[in-house]
Amino acid sequence: MKRSPFRPSFGTNPPLIAGRDAIVAEIGDALDSGPGAPGRAALFTGNRGIGKTVMLNEAEAQARERSWLVVSETATRGLLDRLTTEALPELAAQLRQGPARRRRISGVSLPANLGGIEFDLPPAEGPGGLRSQLNAITEQLEPHGTGLLLTLDEVHSRQGRDDVAQLCAVVQHAFREERPLAFAAAGLPAAVQDLLTSDVSTFLRRARRFVLEPLSEVASEEALRVPVTQAGRRIGEEALRTAAEATYGYPFLIQLVGDQMWRQDPGSRSITVEHVRAGIRAARREVGFSVHEPALNDLSEVDRDFVKAMAEDVGESSIAQVAERLGRDHGYVSRYRSRLIVAGIIEPTRRGYVDFTIPYMREFVRANLERL
Ligand SMILES: Nc1ncnc2c1ncn2[C@@H]1O[C@H](COP(=O)(O)OP(=O)(O)OP(=O)(O)O)[C@@H](O)[C@H]1O
Ligand SMILES: [Mg+2]
């Protein structure tokens, strides 16, 4: 019996990263091109489960391939403290050590050929702490022809906002001084937009923006077929097409559907249309529990009422009609509309209309009206 190659969990790299080659190549080019290349500051935006964290992982892989150092962080409370008292000092300690004695710690990594460098890291304290530490490290790296990539996930987080602003200011200085530093961040589209229009950072506003869209049909099929065949099983054309269609190109669903169709009969040689159909049903249940329910639980009651009113429609919902169903005026409903957009639950489709961002959410809401 063969193990499923699919990885239906957030932040975990899939067996095949489909449909993102052009973006990955651009990030690689930016690292090769030296300071000033636009992709040296990259901002990935996209809905939940579209593959933002995986793209940060990929940027890190591109950096490591080029013997760059990597620090990967999340924009939660205490970000600056963690950088100046943990991540950067650890990096410095590793640079001083020879490769053999190096200890692996999470979030920080160093290429094997670097090490044994003599230098002192400036103290973390004081307003200039982060800046002088980054300067000290990049100065050590420059003669080796490498640099430092800093990745920042969940950049839109409210708790991290002040720290993100300060970090961006420091990174911007380093860019101006043409230091070997690269920066990649990721977040939900509307929340990031919110962040960009607040005066947090002109730097982030100028970053190369990668809007991650659902995968094309061809890429979705590839993302399902290649892992299956590489893991030693087969899947026919009709089964593959049925599976890919059910994912709407949404990467998290690709992994879920892939995993579930695999699990129907892992001992059999081929994945059949029947396996796929059963797998889709299981994946839809699973996406309900692991994505829709937690996302909806984070909402206020009124937000949820808005969502329930929307679920009555077959496709996109007219705001005017939602207002009517809720018995509220347009202004009232507009406020909740904006909040749900920032939360990444719905998105505007055209003037006066919105739709759900994540596949099968409407069906989930309909099926769980009482519980929500
Ligand atoms: N290009 C891709 N091809 C196939 N699968 C992918 C691709 N990108 C991401 N995935 C898979 O999709 C799922 C979600 O990816 P990821 O965690 O990166 O999403 P995210 O956008 O960071 O989500 P969130 O907003 O919740 O943090 C994971 O299971 C991952 O393996
Ligand atoms: Mg993520």
Side-chain angles (χ1 to χ4, degrees):
M1 202 159 76
K2 298 193 167 97
R3 250 190 83 213
S4 162
F6 294 99
R7 293 287 171 271
S9 59
F10 286 92
T12 309
N13 270 25
L16 176 81
I17 300 177
R20 308 287 195 220
D21 293 357
I23 301 179
V24 174
E26 193 173 334
I27 298 289
D29 285 347
L31 294 174
D32 292 333
S33 307
R40 285 228 164 173
L43 177 56
F44 298 101
T45 60
N47 291 326
R48 283 199 180 78
I50 203 83
K52 298 180 292 297
T53 303
V54 163
M55 289 315 293
L56 291 182
N57 295 346
E58 214 35 37
E60 292 169 14
Q62 290 292 310
R64 289 197 185 96
E65 265 177 34
R66 292 163 173 79
S67 290
W68 278 52
L69 275 60
V70 172
V71 171
S72 84
E73 264 296 346
T74 306
T76 50
R77 211 188 300 277
L79 165 68
L80 284 191
D81 266 358
R82 286 197 303 280
L83 280 171
T84 57
T85 65
E86 291 167 31
L88 295 177
E90 187 67 37
L91 209 60
Q94 293 198 11
L95 273 174
R96 284 191 292 263
Q97 267 174 16
R101 295 183 33 222
R102 203 169 284 149
R103 190 160 65 83
R104 274 199 66 84
I105 73 147
S106 63
V108 170
S109 70
L110 199 66
N113 57 343
L114 269 181
I117 297 172
E118 288 292 325
F119 83 109
D120 290 319
L121 195 68
E125 272 71 41
L130 177 66
R131 189 171 171 193
S132 46
Q133 286 188 346
L134 275 178
N135 287 354
I137 289 177
T138 48
E139 264 151 37
Q140 295 301 323
L141 296 175
E142 194 155 12
H144 296 270
T146 79
L148 173 66
L149 167 69
L150 224 155
T151 67
L152 191 59
D153 208 352
E154 311 284 337
V155 65
H156 58 267
S157 124
R158 290 228 164 238
Q159 293 85 0
R161 191 166 275 201
D162 291 346
D163 282 23
V164 170
Q166 287 188 54
L167 173 61
C168 285
V170 170
V171 173
Q172 181 162 20
H173 269 293
F175 271 53
R176 249 189 243 140
E177 294 169 358
E178 308 217 321
R179 293 180 181 278
L181 183 72
F183 179 78
L188 295 174
V192 164
Q193 206 50 48
D194 222 33
L195 177 78
L196 295 183
T197 47
S198 72
D199 50 13
V200 161
S201 172
T202 44
F203 170 72
L204 262 190
R205 226 172 288 152
R206 287 195 218 116
R208 172 79 173 92
R209 184 82 168 265
F210 296 100
V211 180
L212 300 180
E213 304 278 357
L215 303 187
S216 68
E217 224 171 279
V218 175
S220 308
E221 288 189 8
E222 193 193 12
L224 288 162
R225 187 189 60 243
V226 173
V228 167
T229 49
Q230 277 180 350
R233 293 180 71 194
R234 281 191 272 180
I235 180 163
E237 279 309 311
E238 192 192 344
L240 186 63
R241 201 168 348 100
T242 309
E245 266 169 18
T247 68
Y248 295 93
Y250 179 75
F252 184 63
L253 267 170
I254 291 176
Q255 298 306 314
L256 264 184
V257 168
D259 191 54
Q260 292 293 344
M261 72 186 190
W262 180 283
R263 284 168 189 279
Q264 297 308 311
D265 187 5
S268 70
R269 177 104 200 240
S270 282
I271 295 175
T272 65
V273 177
E274 285 65 43
H275 295 155
V276 168
R277 294 226 168 89
I280 292 170
R281 283 195 295 277
R284 284 180 57 164
R285 274 196 300 279
E286 187 53 39
V287 77
F289 293 126
S290 58
V291 179
H292 300 146
E293 184 150 24
L296 294 168
N297 278 341
D298 285 345
L299 302 177
S300 75
E301 207 154 311
V302 195
D303 288 339
R304 275 200 294 268
D305 286 341
F306 186 111
V307 167
K308 287 183 201 171
M310 271 181 70
E312 289 180 31
D313 295 306
V314 190
E316 55 176 13
S317 300
S318 128
I319 297 291
Q321 226 163 47
V322 170
E324 202 178 295
R325 283 173 196 157
L326 293 172
R328 301 286 187 167
D329 64 53
H330 195 79
Y332 180 93
V333 168
S334 293
R335 275 217 313 284
Y336 291 95
R337 170 190 172 275
S338 312
R339 283 175 28 166
L340 286 166
I341 291 174
V342 172
I345 304 284
I346 64 173
E347 60 196 353
T349 44
R350 56 194 167 112
R351 205 181 156 76
Y353 285 82
V354 290
D355 203 351
F356 289 100
T357 54
I358 312 171
Y360 304 118
M361 189 175 260
R362 181 193 333 277
E363 291 80 351
F364 181 83
V365 173
R366 280 186 190 165
N368 293 279
L369 278 180
E370 266 86 78
R371 287 199 309 130
L372 291 170

